[in-house]
Every structure is written in structure tokens, then in C-alpha cells.
Amino acid sequence: MRTRLIDWPTFIISFIVILAVVIPLIIYPEAGSAFVAQLNNVMSDRFGFLYLTMGLAIFFFLIFVAFSQNGQVKLGEEEEPPEFSTPAWAGMLFSAGIGSSILYWGTIEWAFYYQGPPFGLSPTSDQLETIQWASTYGIFHWGPIAWAIYALPAVPMSYFFYVREKPIIKISETLRPLLKGYSDTMVGKLIDVLFIFGLLGGAGTTLALGTPLISRGVADLTGFEDNMLLRTIVLLVVTVIFAISAYVGLKEGIKRLSNLNLGLSIFLLLFVLITGPTLFILETTTNSVGLILDNFFRMSTWTEPFAVMEGVEETGFPESWTVFYWAWWLVYAPFVGLFIARISRGRTIRQVIIGSMVYGSIGCLLFFGIMGNFGLFLQITGEFDVVQVLNDQGAPAAIISIINQLPFSNIMVAIFVFLSVVFLATTFDSSSYILASVTQKLLEDEEPLRWNRMFWAFTICLLPLTLMYLGGLETLQTASIVGGFPLIFIMFLIAWSFMKTSTRDLKIDEQYEPKTIILDMKNIRQKLKRRRKKKQSNDKD
Ligand code: NM2
């Protein structure tokens, strides 16, 4: 019986959890929206500091691991060269971890900060400061701390996969050294369900943002009205596309889409850089890098504690942005970690850590630096009032209108929309694949059942459909913030499990090495003795 292969408890509990979230929201949309807003406030207000501390802690932990003995461990045989060349590796890493949201936020994030700046700045009286931060903060939210969150699960997963040679798919497996036999009980299943819950939350945020963007672009190109019907159709079409890719399988479908993704992205970025305000883009991006380096700690720990004082106004900036972002990266991290592990054969742990943090951040810097500063340039030169469109018609309209300012605007909007679809597909074909793998008992190299992959592809779109219907940016952000909460603790356990196991393994190796040296020395001494005796007897003769 094929259905015996399914891990029914994990499968059913996950599905019930998602229905338990979606159904009440559909039946009571108003009470649902109010509840979601409340949940967002409680989580991000009360526990915001926890997300921020986690981000910084993961960053330093990984830097420590990279330069410690544990970081020197090679994933695979000692002499083995990396399976993928570094550019191919960096490209795949980027396409797996980044979806259409980079087109969305890369182009428009600055406009939110332009109106609601950080550090209590005033949009009007501190205008120059505000503009600088507007073009910078997005790069920070998609920078080294964010990529460290992605890299953390990749480290133990690749360690267990290549060094301990266990084909790991589940988080509960990564925690086996801590959980021992509990990995196979409800405790292990609960951890896997929390991972699924988190990924569905993150996917909810991504799709509920990406769909209106695509639908706005389609409306712009075709003249259709941009309404809920068009959005629902767009979401279904996109889902069918990534369901097909997940059905076809990891290797061919996903690799091809990922190459297409990179090619088109490079084209879009070069086009905007060359036809847009080249020098302005280069200068503002360079300036932002310096600003981040100078203010790294301030940005990563800014929790706005003094809003309790009278006369100090709370902006809500950290909760609405940095906390939300860390949570959003967190919910994707186990899934991306697994993918990074898969493509990292032949690299060292240090290369995986530094590579993800450096290449990932550079990739995001290019999008934010080029697309974002192009929009910012239109705004501050008065060429086009992006902020007005954002406030009157919403972010998707503002983004498409920025693209519309480029030469060959129709073609560029079409490319932008197409690229958004491909970006979504490259993230969600592998997400459905991973969700299917987690809810199934897989033997080595086995693929999850096709119906299971299809099932998760369509389940992924239930939450975004509901969120789109409820509307509001805060609602979409809540999905990630809530989904990410349990993962804060799981990340801590993952890091602990890795340190415990790898350090123990290294110690065995250290004891082993001196022994081999002694053995070798003995050998050499014996050989020398034998040689000497032979010589003596020859001499006598
Ligand atoms: N992250 C990178 O929506 C997407 O593009 C997928 C989003 C976590 C902010 C990932």
C-alpha cells in the first residue's frame, strides 16, 4: 500500500493546523482581522527583543563556527572538489532562498521608510538623513544577519548529511543527538509540524504579497480590472505552475527555472542600472554599505524602549520591520538550509557559512541598490511621485508604475511580471517538495509521492488566499511572525545539537591522530632498526 509510506500523524496534524487557522478567518473575516492584529501586536511588541537578539546571536555564533575547528570540517571526502562551481553554487543558493519578494521590497521598501523613518527622524525636517536611511534599511533587512539565519540550519544538516552520512530531511533528525529516542515520538513530530506551520506562514506572506503584484502587472498589460477575481486566478495559475514543476521533480524542473531566473534578473538589473541614473545608483549603494557598517549594532538592537516615557512617540518601526523580517527569514530557514546542504558537497563548513552570508547579501544588495535607488531617484528629483501612488493605490501599483518609467516600458513590465512568476515558482516548487518529504517516510534517494507533492503545492495557497481576502500588510506579516516564534527555540536547539555532535566527533579524531603518529613513529623506528641490523651483518660479511 502506497499510503503506508505517509507519516500520517505529521501529515494530518499539519493539515488540521492549517485548516484551524484558515476556516475561522474565512467565516469571521472581521473578528479574524482584529484577532490577527492583536496577535501581531502581542508577538512583535512583547517578544520583539527576542527576535532581534536571536538574529545577532546567530550571526556571531556562525562567525565563531566558521573560524573554529568545527568550521574546517569538509563536507565529503578530504580531496573531493566542490560538486558545483562557486558561481553556480551562489546562483542556486540565491534562487532557492529568494522569491518574488525581492522584486517587491527591493523596488518599494525605501518608500515606506521615506515616510516612516527610523530612529525618530522626521520625514520633513531631517529630510537628508531620512533619505539616506530609506535607501539603506532595506539592504540591512536583506543582509548578513538575514543570511546567517538561513545558514544556521544548513550547517548541521550538511554535517549530518555528509560527515555522519545520514540522509536527513527532517528537523527532528537534526536534533536526534539531543532528543535521542524522542525524535521518533510525538516530540519529534511536534517539531516537524512546527517547521511545516512556519513554512506555510512564510509562504502565506510571500504569496499574498506576490500575487497582487503580478495581478497588477497583468492588469496594466491587458487592461483587465485588477480585482479579487483576477488575483485569485493569478494565484491559481502560479500554483499550477509550481505544482507542475514539483511534479516533474527536483533536478530538471528546478535547475532550469533557476537558470532562467538568474539570467532574467541579471538582464533586468543591468538594464535599470544602465538606462537609469547610473552614478546616483552607484553612489547611494556605496553610501548605504558604509552606513550599515557604521551602525550595524545600532540597527540590529534597536528596540525603541523609551516609548513608555511621556512625550516620546512610538514609531513601531522595529516591530513592523526588523522583527517581521527576522521572523520571515526564520520560517524559510530550515527549508533553505536543507537545500544549501544538498548543493554543498565538497565544501567546508566555513565556506558554506561565509559563502551564504557574503554571496546572499551581495545578491540582495544588487536588487535593493539598483531597483530601490532607481525609484528613490524618481521621487527626490520630482520626476515621478512614487509615494503618492503608494498612498493612493497601494504598493503593487507603485511598483509597476516605477517599472513603467523605464524605456520600452511595456516590455519591461512584461519581463518584470514574468520574472515574479518564475521567482515564485523556484521557491514554491521546492517548498512543496520539502513539505511532501517531511510528511513521508523516505528511504535514501527516494522521492516523495507525486500526489503528496501536489497536495502540498495546493495547500500552500490556502493561507495566502485567505490573507489576501482579509487584506492589510500587517495581516500578511503576522503569518510569518507567528509561524516563526517556535522556531526561535528550535534554532537554538539545532545550534546546540551541531556543536555537541561535531565537537565530540572532532575529539575522537584528535585522539586518533596522535595515535597514528605514534604508530607511524614505531613503524619507522622498527624499519630503521631492521635496516641497521642488515647493514651491520653486511659489514661483518
Ligand atoms: N525572505 C527572503 O518571499 C520570498 O521571496 C521568499 C523571503 C525570507 C524575506 C523569502
Side-chain angles (χ1 to χ4, degrees), residues 165-178:
E165 297 190 345
K166 286 184 184 167
I168 311 286
I169 295 282
K170 303 179 187 189
I171 297 256
S172 55
E173 282 295 330
T174 328
L175 294 178
R176 193 175 283 281
L178 295 181

Side-chain angles (χ1 to χ4, degrees), residues 96-103 105 141-142 146-147 150 202-203 205-207 209 324-325 327-333 335-336 364 423-424 427-428:
I98 297 297
S100 63
S101 308
I102 197 148
L103 295 173
W105 292 117
H141 287 147
W142 294 71
W147 281 92
Y150 265 5
T205 306
T206 297
L207 279 168
L209 283 171
F324 153 63
Y325 263 119
W328 198 12
W329 287 85
L330 192 58
V331 286
Y332 275 97
F335 145 66
V336 178
C364 293
F423 253 121
L424 279 179
T427 307
F428 289 110

